[in-house]
Every structure is written in C-alpha cells, then in structure tokens.
Amino acid sequence: MLNPKHEKLYIILFFTALTVVLTWPSAWNFFSAVPSSGSDTMQVVGVAGYKANLLSDQGIIKGTFELIKRSELSITTLYAYFQLIFGRVIGYNLLFFASFVLSGLGAYLLSFYFTKNKPASLIAGIIFAFSPFHVHNSLSTNVGTMHQEWLPFFALYLFKYFEDFSLKNFSIAGSFLFLIAFTEHQLLAFTAIFIIFFLVYKLIVQPKVFLRPKLWIYVGVSAVVLSILFFFMFRSLFTIAGSEDNYLDAGLKSAVKYSNDSLAITIPPNFHSLWPES
C-alpha cells in the first residue's frame, strides 16, 4: 500500500521513469550528449556558456546583476547556473528532463484540484507533459516554450488564492508568474490573456470577491513589483519594438501563415521526433 504522504514523490518518480522511456535514448546519453534535432540547441548551449563564463569571472551575485543591467536575465541564465554546477552536458540534460517531469506533476496537481480523480489527473499529466508541442519544442530547441512546466502551477495557485486570499497562495502564484516571464515572454503574454478571462469569469460568478480590500492590496503590490522586474527583463524588447528596425513585428499575415490547423493540436505533425514523416 502506497503511503499517501509520499504521493507527490511517487508522481515525480512515475513521470521521471516515463520521461526516460519516451525520450529514449536521451537517458542513455545523459552524461555524454544533449538531445537535439537542430542547430538551435547548440545556440542555447553557447549562450548559456557565455553567461556561465561571465558568472564565473564576476561571481554569481555580481554577474547576475550584470546580466540584469544588460537585460539578459532569461531562461538561458538558469542553464548557465546549472552549467557552472553540473557541467555543460549534465546541466542541460537535468533541465531537459525536469521540463517533462514538472510538466506532468503540475498538470496532475491542477487536474486533481478540480476532479479529485487520481487516474484522470495522471492521464492529464501525461497528455500535457508529452504533447507533440512539448516534445517538438524540447528537441528543436525552442528553449522558452520547452519550459512550459510553470503554467499549471501558476493556474493552480491562482485558483487557490481566490479561495482564501492567503498571502501564501498569493506569493506562490506570483513566484510562478515570475518564472513564466523569466522563461518565455510569449508564454507570459498567453498567461496574461488567461488571467483576463479568469478575472472576467470571477466577476460574473463571484462579484463580491472584488469588494474585498485584501484583494486590491495584493494586486496593487504585485503590479508594482512585477512591473519593475518585467521592465528590467524585457527592456531590450521594448527598445526594439520602438525602433524603426522592429523585427519583432512579423505582420498580421504571419498569424495566418504559421497558425496550426484544427487537427494539428491532436495529431502529431510530420516533424514529430517520435513519429517522423508520419
């Protein structure tokens, strides 16, 4: 009989084993090579190496502040930290595996929060962790969208916060929102859209919630703190967006050109690493 107190540990072990199986032979080459299907992976490793050298030369604290000043505090900085501690290959592979394990755990916890059904929650975790989108972005490598694992944790604690307005749930939700921003600005944009729909939903079904002063105090403080953090993190993007050479604006036609069709979200595409050219 499994001990209920160790349930999260069992879930982590389950998704760790599943990651080893479904990303094989990455585990076999864990100490010698990084999983990749293109040159973008080497670019991530190279940028992380540059940041690791800076952190090594200037020290962790001073080097981190230097990256903040340069508006270069991003997910590759985390890879740089891991590279300093574990080495280039092992550090990368630890984060690669963590993206699957934590994605599964987060989706499981979020699903169980609503369904109270363990088998259904486990299936939800498997679907989210090993979706074609995640596998492709992990191997291509789109390092920002590869690390989708913070999304279900943020949603979970956002819902929990609106249950009791506790400082604990608010702080945890804010921390995961920061991690989303730290990881990928596009995921942050989609998260912001989710928050807007969430607040509209709450306004419709629980309008009295918005009369509580504690809600507005927490929201006001978080808005100020996160605005300051996001300004330093995305300052270079703001500069580019306001310049004449704004390569960030791909035009409206690109949305049509690069959008998935209605089946692509459920059927593995032909570039899927596990079913190539299927």
Side-chain angles (χ1 to χ4, degrees):
M1 192 82 178
L2 297 178
N3 190 336
K5 294 182 180 180
H6 300 149
E7 180 182 344
K8 291 181 182 178
L9 176 60
Y10 299 141
I11 298 299
I12 291 173
L13 292 175
F14 170 79
F15 280 107
T16 299
L18 202 58
T19 300
V20 170
V21 173
L22 294 182
T23 63
W24 193 263
S26 299
W28 183 259
N29 299 300
F30 188 86
F31 299 99
S32 59
V34 300
S36 172
S37 62
S39 58
D40 286 345
T41 308
M42 297 303 104
Q43 183 179 8
V44 171
V45 173
V47 172
Y50 146 73
K51 292 184 177 181
N53 290 335
L54 186 149
L55 293 169
S56 178
D57 292 340
Q58 299 192 15
I60 297 295
I61 297 177
K62 186 177 179 181
T64 300
F65 277 106
E66 179 62 28
L67 291 174
I68 294 174
K69 285 170 55 180
R70 298 182 185 183
S71 190
E72 294 181 3
L73 188 67
S74 63
I75 186 63
T76 52
T77 307
L78 182 61
Y79 279 77
Y81 292 139
F82 270 63
Q83 189 174 128
L84 285 175
I85 299 171
F86 302 104
R88 178 174 297 180
V89 173
I90 297 176
Y92 183 97
N93 286 336
L94 283 171
L95 291 171
F96 172 84
F97 274 78
S99 74
F100 290 95
V101 176
L102 292 178
S103 290
L105 174 64
Y108 172 87
L109 295 175
L110 179 61
S111 300
F112 188 75
Y113 175 77
F114 290 107
T115 66
K116 299 300 184 289
N117 185 302
K118 293 181 180 180
S121 301
L122 203 61
I123 292 173
I126 294 171
I127 292 173
F128 182 69
F130 301 99
S131 66
F133 174 85
H134 188 209
V135 173
H136 170 64
N137 281 276
S138 299
L139 297 175
S140 49
T141 297
N142 297 316
V143 69
T145 45
M146 163 184 167
H147 287 283
Q148 61 174 22
E149 59 264 29
W150 313 124
L151 297 174
F153 287 105
F154 168 73
L156 173 62
Y157 283 97
L158 180 65
F159 277 99
K160 283 188 173 183
Y161 168 68
F162 270 80
E163 280 189 349
D164 58 12
F165 292 97
S166 69
L167 179 60
K168 174 186 174 182
N169 288 330
F170 176 80
S171 300
I172 295 175
S175 298
F176 281 118
L177 183 62
F178 169 77
L179 287 172
I180 292 170
F182 174 77
T183 302
E184 173 58 49
H185 62 276
Q186 296 182 58
L187 290 183
L188 176 64
F190 287 118
T191 303
I193 295 173
F194 166 76
I195 293 173
I196 292 172
F197 278 104
F198 173 82
L199 293 177
V200 171
Y201 165 76
K202 283 293 184 181
L203 186 61
I204 294 172
V205 300
Q206 293 178 291
K208 292 183 179 180
V209 164
F210 293 87
L211 299 178
R212 299 185 63 172
K214 184 182 289 188
L215 169 67
W216 295 105
I217 292 173
Y218 284 161
V219 169
V221 172
S222 63
V224 172
V225 173
L226 291 174
S227 294
I228 294 173
L229 289 172
F230 294 166
F231 171 77
F232 283 102
M233 292 170 67
F234 303 130
R235 186 175 53 198
S236 60
L237 295 179
F238 295 145
T239 302
I240 295 169
S243 66
E244 294 182 359
D245 185 24
N246 180 16
Y247 60 82
L248 298 174
D249 184 7
L252 293 176
K253 291 183 179 179
S254 64
V256 176
K257 181 179 179 181
Y258 295 110
S259 292
N260 282 333
D261 57 45
S262 57
L263 293 178
I265 60 174
T266 56
I267 298 177
N270 58 9
F271 51 71
H272 197 290
S273 302
L274 299 182
W275 298 279
E277 301 180 1
S278 58

